[in-house]
Every structure is written in C-alpha cells, then in structure tokens.
Amino acid sequence: MSAPERIPPRSVTTAELLARGELTVRGQIRDASNAVLHCSVSHDGQEALCVYKPVRGERPLWDFPDGTLAQREVAAYEVSEATGWGLVPPTVLRDGPYGEGMCQLWIEGVPGSELLALVDAEEPEPGWKAIGLAEVDEGRTALLVHADDERLRRLAVLDAVINNADRKGGHLLPAEGGRLYGIDHGVTFNTENKLRTLLWGWAGEPLTGEAVDVLKGLKERLGPSGALARRLAVLITAAELDATRARVEALLDSGKHPEPSGEWPAIPWPPV
C-alpha cells in the first residue's frame, strides 16, 4: 500500500479534507491521557494522516467542563491562524466513527532538532534559556533549559494568549522546512490563570516588536465584530472569550512576557 499523499499544512484543501473526508482508524496512541486515534482521512482523491480525538473519550477534569477539550483544540488553532504564525496544525471539529471530536493533521516530527536539555551548570550557555532546576537523581539537580529559538518564543506568546495549562516538551514538533508546531491544546482558555509551560525562558523580558504587532492584530480580531471572535464564540464560552481578550490587553499593557503567578504550578509534570 502506497503512503498517503503529503498535504501542505494550512491550505484550504487540507481543511476541507479534514472536515469532509472519510476517517479510517488505524490505531490508538496508548500513552495519551485521553482517547487519541491515529487515522487516515480521504476525500476527492486525496489522503492524509490525522489525529482524531472523540469527545466521548475525554477524561473528566475538575477544572474544565466535561466534553469541551475538542472545541478548545480547535479554538487554539483558530487563534494560531489569526497570528499568522501557523504554530498549530490544521484542526477541525467534526463527526467521526466514535462521534464528534477533534480532527488534526498528523505532523511527522523531524529528529535531531534539540529544543530542551538538562545541563550540569548554574547558568545556560549562549543560545539557551533557563527554565529551572530539576531533580535528576536523589540529591542531585540539573538545570532544565530550552533553546533560545524565535519559533519557541512565538509559541510562548500564543500560550500566554490561550492560557495553555500543559505545554510539555512532547507537545513540540519540529517539522520539515524548519517549521515548528505545538499540539495538545485541550486544556486552554480557562478563565483563571493556569499558564503552565516549559517556555519560561523569556519570563519578564520585553515582547518582540513582531509579537506586539501580532497582539494588536488579535485585539482587533477579538473585538465584538471581529471574525476571530465570531469563530471562537461557538467553541468557548462568553466568559472564556472575554478572558482571552483580557489576556491580550494585559500583554500589550505590560509589553512583557508573563511570569509565573505563584498561584499555580508553573511547570507541567511530567515535563516531557
């Protein structure tokens, strides 16, 4: 059997394929906390690989309403697209073999692109940013660092906007052509500050000029008549949409990357 045709990310064809194509389940990703099915999707002579997460397979969480994680994944994609950075693979909400769920283009990660590391040092080397100390053996710690990479920095801004409560290392996918994607955005858009991430290296530092321009664009698109606001309104609650607007405003007012609040664990566990 020949491999599925590779579909360019973020194209209209890809969105139509994901939304209308016939889903065929190939297997299950076993180490996921919720039901995650590896599928192929075919439509009008084209085929691609994708991830399908049915709502009925979502594990209940104490701090998120039941049955809403798939919508949050799609909302994260919509915000990513509005930034112009294309950091989240094409994602749609659709019916599938096990009911409504999220369907996202499968991204094949490219090995050899090191974004995270543990080092026996007190300060990171040039080209790296410190996250914090991690216990590696009983009584021994090491410095956890991430790459000082503009793609990660953009993702840190996106996470601050969508209030990502679970940015782990395994959710970072370097792809062909130097692209970087973030995946697994089910625990986002909470009205309370729940930012929990490995990308704290720029905490308290000024936002780049590019990020400020992007945030200004988001502010406009999130206005009452904005196209992004209309799309998000059917995916998250009115209070969550208002909280998203408030986070964009707060980032613009401060002009800085957010810092850990101290009210919520700053780093997800396990970190990878």
Side-chain angles (χ1 to χ4, degrees), residues 125-253:
E125 295 182 358
W128 295 87
K129 305 290 283 186
I131 303 169
L133 293 173
E135 185 174 340
V136 292
D137 291 313
E138 186 174 348
R140 188 172 76 88
T141 60
L143 185 65
L144 181 61
V145 297
H146 66 68
D148 189 0
D149 186 310
E150 69 173 5
R151 301 169 303 171
L152 289 180
R153 191 165 191 172
R154 290 170 176 170
L155 195 57
V157 174
L158 176 66
D159 284 343
V161 171
I162 66 176
N163 197 14
N164 192 351
D166 195 31
R167 175 60 73 204
K168 296 177 179 177
H171 300 167
L172 305 173
L173 295 181
E176 292 181 347
R179 296 290 300 273
L180 176 71
Y181 291 98
I183 60 170
D184 284 351
H185 298 105
V187 285
T188 50
F189 296 99
N190 201 295
T191 56
E192 299 180 12
N193 179 14
K194 291 186 177 290
L195 184 59
R196 190 167 59 168
T197 175
L198 288 178
L199 304 181
W200 287 116
W202 299 281
E205 293 187 15
L207 296 166
T208 64
E210 177 195 45
V212 170
D213 289 341
V214 164
L215 289 167
K216 288 178 179 177
L218 285 180
K219 179 180 178 180
E220 181 178 350
R221 292 176 178 88
L222 286 168
S225 60
L228 178 59
R230 292 196 298 272
R231 289 194 290 271
L232 294 184
V234 299
L235 297 167
I236 59 177
T237 68
E240 289 166 343
L241 180 53
D242 285 342
T244 304
R245 294 185 179 111
R247 288 191 295 272
V248 171
E249 290 271 11
L251 287 166
L252 286 170
D253 288 345

Side-chain angles (χ1 to χ4, degrees), residues 37-191:
L37 303 177
H38 187 216
C39 302
S40 61
V41 59
S42 58
H43 177 66
D44 199 21
Q46 295 193 77
E47 187 177 6
L49 298 177
C50 62
V51 170
Y52 163 53
K53 299 181 182 180
V55 171
R56 69 170 66 174
E58 293 178 5
R59 178 171 55 89
L61 300 173
W62 68 269
D63 52 348
F64 284 84
D66 292 350
T68 67
L69 305 191
Q71 292 94 321
R72 295 172 194 278
E73 295 243 29
V74 179
Y77 167 69
E78 294 288 354
V79 175
S80 169
E81 287 298 281
T83 67
W85 288 332
L87 294 168
V88 178
T91 311
V92 302
L93 193 67
R94 57 161 293 168
D95 284 330
Y98 299 100
E100 185 178 61
M102 177 278 274
C103 185
Q104 184 177 83
L105 187 70
W106 177 269
I107 300 297
E108 195 66 46
V110 175
S113 180
E114 191 174 18
L115 298 173
L116 297 165
L118 278 169
V119 296
D120 289 319
E122 294 183 0
E123 298 291 336
E125 295 182 358
W128 295 87
K129 305 290 283 186
I131 303 169
L133 293 173
E135 185 174 340
V136 292
D137 291 313
E138 186 174 348
R140 188 172 76 88
T141 60
L143 185 65
L144 181 61
V145 297
H146 66 68
D148 189 0
D149 186 310
E150 69 173 5
R151 301 169 303 171
L152 289 180
R153 191 165 191 172
R154 290 170 176 170
L155 195 57
V157 174
L158 176 66
D159 284 343
V161 171
I162 66 176
N163 197 14
N164 192 351
D166 195 31
R167 175 60 73 204
K168 296 177 179 177
H171 300 167
L172 305 173
L173 295 181
E176 292 181 347
R179 296 290 300 273
L180 176 71
Y181 291 98
I183 60 170
D184 284 351
H185 298 105
V187 285
T188 50
F189 296 99
N190 201 295
T191 56

